[in-house]
Amino acid sequence: MEEKEFGLNDVVEMKKPHPCGVNQWKVIRMGMDIRIKCEGCSHSVMIPRKEFSRKMKKVLVRHEE
């Protein structure tokens, strides 16, 4: 399985949408765990990196530095 590339402040799409109906998540913290924030309702969730890589579908918007 290839390693998906994502970075801090990228907007990603997960395999399942958030219960609020939006499927856009902003990566707000990276480490052993990844914290993502829903772009629709601003709810944040912390997911282990391995599980995040498995549940992420694609990067929608790359953060420009």
Side-chain angles (χ1 to χ4, degrees), residues 23-37:
N23 197 356
Q24 292 184 350
W25 299 83
K26 185 173 190 175
V27 178
I28 58 174
R29 193 159 124 208
M30 291 179 64
M32 284 302 291
D33 296 321
I34 308 291
R35 183 172 288 279
I36 55 177
K37 186 164 109 176

Side-chain angles (χ1 to χ4, degrees), residues 4-57:
K4 296 176 184 163
E5 290 193 20
F6 53 90
L8 194 61
N9 294 322
D10 284 354
V11 177
V12 299
E13 182 179 341
M14 303 300 276
K15 289 184 180 172
K16 290 185 179 178
H18 191 250
C20 74
V22 177
N23 197 356
Q24 292 184 350
W25 299 83
K26 185 173 190 175
V27 178
I28 58 174
R29 193 159 124 208
M30 291 179 64
M32 284 302 291
D33 296 321
I34 308 291
R35 183 172 288 279
I36 55 177
K37 186 164 109 176
C38 179
E39 293 284 280
C41 66
S42 297
H43 181 95
S44 70
V45 179
M46 187 172 273
I47 305 174
R49 183 180 284 267
K50 190 173 184 178
E51 189 177 325
F52 177 80
S53 293
R54 197 171 62 237
K55 291 183 175 182
M56 185 182 92
K57 190 187 276 185

